[in-house]
Amino acid sequence: MKRTLIADLQKSTNKEVEIKGWVNAIREHGKLIFLEVRDITGTVQTITTAKDEPNFKTAKSLTKESCIRIKGKINPRPKGTENKNSPAGNVEIKIEELEIYNKCPALPFDLENKDTSEDIRLKYRYLDLRRPEMQNNLIIRSKIIKVIRDFLNKEGFSEFETPILAKSTPEGARDYVVPSRTQPGKFFALPQSPQLFKQLLMVAGFEKYFQIAKCMRDEDLRSDRQPEFTQLDLEMSFVTQEDIIDLTERLLQKIWKETLNTHIKIPFPKLTYDESMKKYNVDRPDLRKNKNDPKEFAFCWITDFPAFDKSEEKGKLIATHHPFTHPEMQSFNKNPLTAKSIAYDIVLNGTEIGGGSIRIHEEEIQSKVFEVLGINKKEQKEKFGFLLDALKFGAPPHGGIAWGLDRLVQIILGVESIREVIAFPKNKEARDLMLNAPSPLSDKQLKDVHIKLNLPKKK
Ligand code: ASP
């Protein structure tokens, strides 16, 4: 017999079916036992009575969250006892066969208790993810990604993967590094974003690229960040800032329509960086009329960022966006230090959800920008020789944007932290409590990668 999903049970009233899933709740009433069974599509009530001794006995031995199979007949539920919250709430199954696939011991936490500490939830994430809220969060996340893929495919984009074992890309954070076994003393860096790869894909002539990309940044943890996070990363050739803004707006509009059935008005308001700072004293203003309304979505663009900013290191400059951002040439030619850049951020309700820029496609300008940043010719060649070379070979004008996907999903779902929309996040101290990672390496592993530890003294 083929398994029926719980959401499809209604269609088979009065028929014999087989369902598979987990024991969501057990209610014993003397000679009656009700087992509420849950699968990914919903819950349904099943019943056995003391008259049916073998099944009654098995049901009596069951525990919550055990994994089971039930065969039986679907009957309509008596009037007034229907459960409106379930797609199978108006039917019930009279158990004829009950098989236990796997019994569940006492749970480390009550799945229905909303106050469980986050560390416990993360340690037993596979149980936490059984909760309908978490399943909903991740399924909506998957739907959003599907909307993105469908939309961008229709617009002529191709999806490419880029390496994880890579070289430092200056996105402004520390790199996570991976030691090389075969090349002693050398390290890969995990990408802080696919920035240079996507630019090289433009040099290669693909014209429209996107990726749902993992990015790794070893930052001091602020409360709601993750050391690894997901970006929607995209890049286009032969475009202006306006083209990227327009594409972003249409895609956001589509996502809001498909997931929240909400129409958002485009184009979004635009403010220059100077205007925003003057008027709101921040570069990511919250333009909601009523800041307590969870259904209000106020998008805006911030443009014309200063190209460079003072670094913590005295006398040094850093790129406000990143060093591959095209400066606005009139201001750059006048005085690089006060130049503007062709960079833009998309802001939603006071949160920066994405940022991008038109890139430098001319080798001389890229080299000049590196110089302004205090990177001399020798260092340029060592670190970015491949890019400077590539730009010489007929590189097209290009630009793009990246969105923080976790944050976007969080805002759409209106949940408290990005950890609620990531299947296996790290905790606030950047630890994976389920895997217990990071963890020490064996002496053999350390030796293999030519590493001797020099640990800080224990206090
Ligand atoms: N790579 C940039 C970032 O991660 C985004 C972009 O310029 O496309 O911030």
Side-chain angles (χ1 to χ4, degrees):
M1 180 175 250
K2 222 176 136 222
R3 172 207 187 188
T4 306
L5 287 169
I6 288 175
D8 294 333
L9 287 174
Q10 283 198 61
K11 293 184 223 150
S12 314
T13 311
N14 298 321
K15 286 201 190 118
E16 182 94 353
V17 287
E18 181 175 72
I19 58 166
K20 297 179 179 184
W22 289 264
V23 178
N24 201 46
I26 306 170
R27 285 183 290 275
E28 287 197 50
H29 293 288
K31 293 191 169 150
L32 269 183
I33 296 181
F34 295 99
L35 296 178
E36 189 179 84
V37 182
R38 182 191 72 238
D39 70 13
I40 190 68
T41 65
T43 60
V44 68
Q45 171 159 291
T46 68
I47 315 171
T48 180
T49 65
K51 263 194 235 152
D52 177 6
E53 217 192 307
N55 285 328
F56 191 77
K57 232 173 115 190
T58 314
K60 222 174 155 65
S61 77
L62 270 175
T63 46
K64 263 173 106 172
E65 293 306 319
S66 295
C67 186
I68 59 171
R69 176 183 71 84
I70 283 176
K71 214 164 138 184
K73 201 179 141 205
I74 313 182
N75 299 312
R77 265 169 92 158
K79 269 237 150 10
T81 67
E82 298 99 335
N83 172 3
K84 293 213 171 58
N85 298 324
S86 164
N90 52 3
V91 295
E92 62 189 15
I93 298 178
K94 172 82 180 36
I95 298 175
E96 283 157 22
E97 273 175 36
L98 170 56
E99 182 188 349
I100 304 180
Y101 286 130
N102 227 329
K103 213 160 156 176
C104 184
L107 293 165
F109 66 98
D110 176 2
L111 301 195
E112 271 150 51
N113 179 359
K114 300 238 174 337
D115 299 325
T116 309
S117 85
E118 193 180 31
D119 279 0
I120 297 274
R121 290 177 51 203
L122 291 175
K123 177 157 182 209
Y124 299 97
R125 189 61 157 181
Y126 43 88
L127 292 178
D128 187 44
L129 292 178
R130 285 189 190 173
R131 296 164 48 228
E133 297 93 313
M134 291 307 287
Q135 297 201 332
N136 181 58
N137 290 357
L138 292 180
I139 287 169
I140 298 282
R141 181 188 175 111
S142 158
K143 284 198 175 136
I144 292 171
I145 292 176
K146 178 165 189 310
V147 173
I148 292 173
R149 287 210 160 101
D150 289 350
F151 178 95
L152 291 176
N153 276 311
K154 248 200 198 140
E155 294 276 332
F157 282 76
S158 302
E159 184 172 359
F160 297 115
E161 292 157 83
T162 52
I164 293 293
L165 294 177
K167 196 169 161 161
S168 182
T169 56
E171 228 75 47
R174 236 173 265 125
D175 291 321
Y176 277 102
V177 293
V178 179
S180 165
R181 177 181 58 83
T182 49
Q183 297 175 58
K186 296 205 170 142
F187 295 81
F188 290 105
L190 304 184
Q192 294 187 33
S193 86
Q195 185 59 39
L196 290 175
F197 292 114
K198 68 175 172 175
Q199 291 191 230
L200 294 171
L201 287 169
M202 294 304 107
V203 177
F206 286 105
E207 300 203 19
K208 288 180 175 181
Y209 140 96
F210 83 99
Q211 180 176 197
I212 306 294
K214 273 292 176 84
C215 304
M216 274 67 67
R217 298 183 189 176
D218 185 2
E219 292 180 293
D220 288 335
L221 284 171
R222 275 171 262 164
S223 67
D224 203 16
R225 292 238 178 153
Q226 284 284 306
E228 66 180 290
F229 59 96
T230 307
Q231 281 187 346
L232 162 62
D233 190 46
L234 63 86
E235 196 77 6
M236 298 158 89
S237 293
F238 310 113
V239 287
T240 60
Q241 167 170 311
E242 283 315 309
D243 295 317
I244 290 158
I245 286 182
D246 168 67
L247 179 100
T248 303
E249 289 178 342
R250 287 187 295 114
L251 176 50
L252 285 168
Q253 190 181 49
K254 180 95 185 153
I255 293 172
W256 255 251
K257 180 86 201 122
E258 299 279 318
T259 57
L260 294 172
N261 199 19
T262 298
H263 176 75
I264 54 174
K265 232 179 96 201
I266 59 173
F268 304 145
K270 287 187 196 76
L271 290 156
T272 65
Y273 172 85
D274 288 344
E275 283 166 353
S276 180
M277 290 309 285
K278 208 166 141 198
K279 215 164 154 191
Y280 303 101
N281 210 19
V282 279
D283 59 2
R284 41 184 180 81
D286 187 345
L287 301 184
R288 280 176 296 178
K289 292 197 182 74
N290 175 1
K291 309 238 183 317
N292 295 322
D293 179 358
K295 292 210 177 68
E296 193 181 342
F297 299 105
F299 293 90
C300 68
W301 289 99
I302 306 296
T303 63
D304 302 81
F305 282 86
F308 307 106
D309 203 356
K310 284 200 193 82
S311 121
E312 281 165 18
E313 227 176 295
K314 233 181 133 194
K316 270 211 149 179
L317 287 180
I318 51 165
T320 310
H321 189 50
H322 52 55
F324 320 109
T325 296
H326 213 300
E328 190 284 306
M329 287 317 285
Q330 236 179 351
S331 55
F332 186 71
N333 287 336
K334 235 200 252 154
N335 178 2
L337 304 188
T338 53
K340 297 283 183 206
S341 63
I342 313 177
Y344 32 83
D345 276 0
I346 172 86
V347 174
L348 168 55
N349 297 356
T351 301
E352 182 214 315
I353 57 166
S357 59
I358 297 298
R359 328 297 183 186
I360 300 166
H361 67 280
E362 309 93 333
E363 190 250 350
E364 326 83 79
I365 299 179
Q366 184 64 75
S367 181
K368 236 189 224 160
V369 165
F370 283 144
E371 253 163 60
V372 173
L373 293 169
I375 307 172
N376 66 32
K377 281 258 154 46
K378 185 165 163 267
E379 213 184 330
Q380 288 181 25
K381 204 162 172 218
E382 268 164 30
K383 280 193 178 149
F384 302 111
F386 65 99
L387 175 70
L388 292 168
D389 275 348
L391 294 183
K392 283 184 219 157
F393 288 103
H398 59 285
I401 192 166
W403 308 355
L405 198 69
D406 309 294
R407 186 81 56 211
L408 188 86
V409 178
Q410 181 203 349
I411 296 176
I412 288 177
L413 283 164
V415 293
E416 227 164 77
S417 101
I418 59 170
R419 296 184 295 280
E420 298 296 304
V421 302
I422 299 172
F424 298 104
K426 313 277 184 287
N427 77 350
K428 287 182 190 158
E429 281 85 46
R431 292 191 58 76
D432 184 317
L433 296 171
M434 185 180 68
L435 303 177
N436 197 14
S439 50
L441 291 182
S442 70
D443 289 343
K444 159 97 175 50
Q445 281 173 305
L446 285 172
K447 207 169 154 226
D448 276 349
V449 292
H450 322 283
I451 284 186
K452 243 191 205 140
L453 297 181
N454 177 15
L455 299 175
K457 284 214 176 69
K458 280 207 182 108
K459 283 189 192 133

